[in-house]
Amino acid sequence: MATIYDVAREAGVSAATVSRVLNGARTVDPAMVARVLTAVRELGYRPNAVARNLRRSRTTLWAVIISDIGNPFFTATVRGIEDVAQQAGYSVVLCNSDEDPAKEETYVAAALSEQMAGVIISSSGSVKAAKTLLESPVPVVAIDRELPRGEVDTVVVDNEAGARTATEHLLTAGYRRIACITGPEGVSTADLRLRGYAGALPSEPLVVRTDFREQGGYDAMSSLLSSSDRPDAVFVANNLMAVGALRCLADRGVDVPGEMGLVGFDEIPWADLVRPTLTTVAQPTYELGRMAARLLVDRIATPAAKPAKVVLPAELRPRQSSAR
């Protein structure tokens, strides 16, 4: 493997000059720069990333901590992050907290100990993880969910407005007793979507809180069907829970949308393929990721700037599951 001294000999310059060229110094003579880069290419030289990072006291890696790698929502989101990261000279390390605060805290500690250049996080709601990040010098951007107890750069959709629109859509379709299946208390997406749903209702809310998983949606739907105050429609606050709710309705032989209308928050790739097709509130997932990465690049460049909050619109996509 070629060394920096091999490159220096080939280019007819000092090792210090090679180092300055590779680190982007603008004071090196253009002719020398050309000779160094030619030597690097011909010798196949690769800089020692570990040594460079020790000198810089940080890596060129971003930790992207997402709450559930099994959720299709994050596929396009992470792609948006990675596209911007690559353009800016960074690589992405993907961490799945699995909606587990303890696991999230472990990943946050690892990101800080490995001196990551920045962290993008979709929080599972861990106050300890948020506090650790906020007290560190590492740039942080919250995506999808706001960080508990902290003001950092944040990119979210208008969860409350999206949930309100979904509930109003069910009311307009003729449903009257509309329930809400939402996530854990203290998680911003769960709380804001619940607020939007409740704000659109002319009657008392009917709410079941569960986790953001498919089985949680199934169990919540089952409890609503067994209730004496059985609803005729349900707004489900994320895509995986909506899948579980649909599966429960199918298992119980409940006709959708005749006996039960349903709207899910988050688009699902196969929403047009199931029968009935599924009404959803779609988020601009790629743009969420792209914007979060853009904020992180800016934060790394200007650490003292005031935190920014970007709120993107959500879009109702009516389909058969809510057409009574």
Side-chain angles (χ1 to χ4, degrees), residues 69-273:
I69 201 169
N71 190 330
F73 165 84
F74 287 109
T75 305
T77 304
V78 171
R79 181 169 183 177
I81 294 171
E82 187 177 39
D83 284 352
V84 173
Q86 289 285 310
Q87 292 168 7
Y90 294 93
S91 298
V92 168
V93 176
L94 186 59
C95 309
N96 172 40
S97 72
D98 214 26
E99 299 286 6
D100 181 348
K103 197 172 178 183
E104 178 175 290
E105 290 157 17
T106 299
Y107 276 129
V108 165
L112 299 184
S113 67
E114 293 297 326
Q115 298 180 319
M116 297 285 186
V119 174
I120 295 177
I121 183 169
S122 173
S123 174
S124 65
S126 168
V127 174
K128 181 180 177 181
K131 185 173 183 289
T132 301
L133 282 172
L134 292 168
E135 291 176 351
S136 80
V138 174
V140 179
V141 175
I143 187 170
D144 180 43
R145 304 172 181 178
E146 298 178 30
L147 270 188
R149 299 186 184 178
E151 189 175 343
V152 297
D153 294 314
T154 303
V155 185
V156 293
V157 299
D158 195 335
N159 289 288
E160 188 171 346
R164 184 169 57 248
T165 298
T167 308
E168 289 170 348
H169 168 73
L170 287 167
L171 289 167
T172 301
Y175 297 100
R176 287 294 168 261
R177 191 58 177 133
I178 302 169
C180 174
I181 298 174
T182 192
E185 187 174 1
V187 176
S188 65
T189 47
D191 294 344
L192 290 170
R193 292 169 192 176
L194 174 59
R195 186 189 302 172
Y197 149 83
L201 283 183
S203 57
E204 282 296 309
L206 178 58
V207 180
V208 179
R209 281 193 183 266
T210 183
D211 57 21
F212 273 123
R213 300 300 182 84
E214 181 178 339
Q215 189 59 45
Y218 187 104
D219 295 340
M221 190 73 250
S222 180
S223 71
L224 287 170
L225 292 176
S226 302
S227 168
S228 57
D229 186 17
R230 177 169 163 163
D232 62 353
V234 60
F235 164 65
V236 188
N238 95 327
N239 51 5
L240 297 183
M241 293 191 300
V243 172
L246 275 175
R247 184 162 59 87
C248 178
L249 291 168
D251 287 351
R252 298 279 286 267
V254 178
D255 177 65
V256 178
E259 293 180 74
M260 184 74 65
L262 190 147
V263 177
F265 206 108
D266 296 337
E267 183 70 321
I268 297 175
W270 41 260
D272 285 313
L273 302 179

Side-chain angles (χ1 to χ4, degrees), residues 5-93:
Y5 300 102
D6 297 326
V7 174
R9 269 193 304 272
E10 182 73 17
V13 298
S14 68
T17 298
V18 174
S19 178
R20 288 166 61 208
V21 170
L22 296 179
N23 284 302
R26 299 182 180 181
T27 56
V28 183
D29 181 81
M32 285 187 180
V33 172
R35 294 208 308 271
V36 169
L37 294 180
T38 299
V40 166
R41 186 169 57 253
E42 290 178 351
L43 294 174
Y45 173 68
R46 296 287 183 271
N48 187 321
V50 173
R52 293 176 75 189
N53 289 333
L54 285 172
R55 289 193 298 272
R56 294 175 176 178
S57 298
R58 63 182 176 88
T59 68
T60 55
L61 298 175
W62 290 354
V64 177
I65 305 172
I66 61 174
S67 52
D68 186 357
I69 201 169
N71 190 330
F73 165 84
F74 287 109
T75 305
T77 304
V78 171
R79 181 169 183 177
I81 294 171
E82 187 177 39
D83 284 352
V84 173
Q86 289 285 310
Q87 292 168 7
Y90 294 93
S91 298
V92 168
V93 176

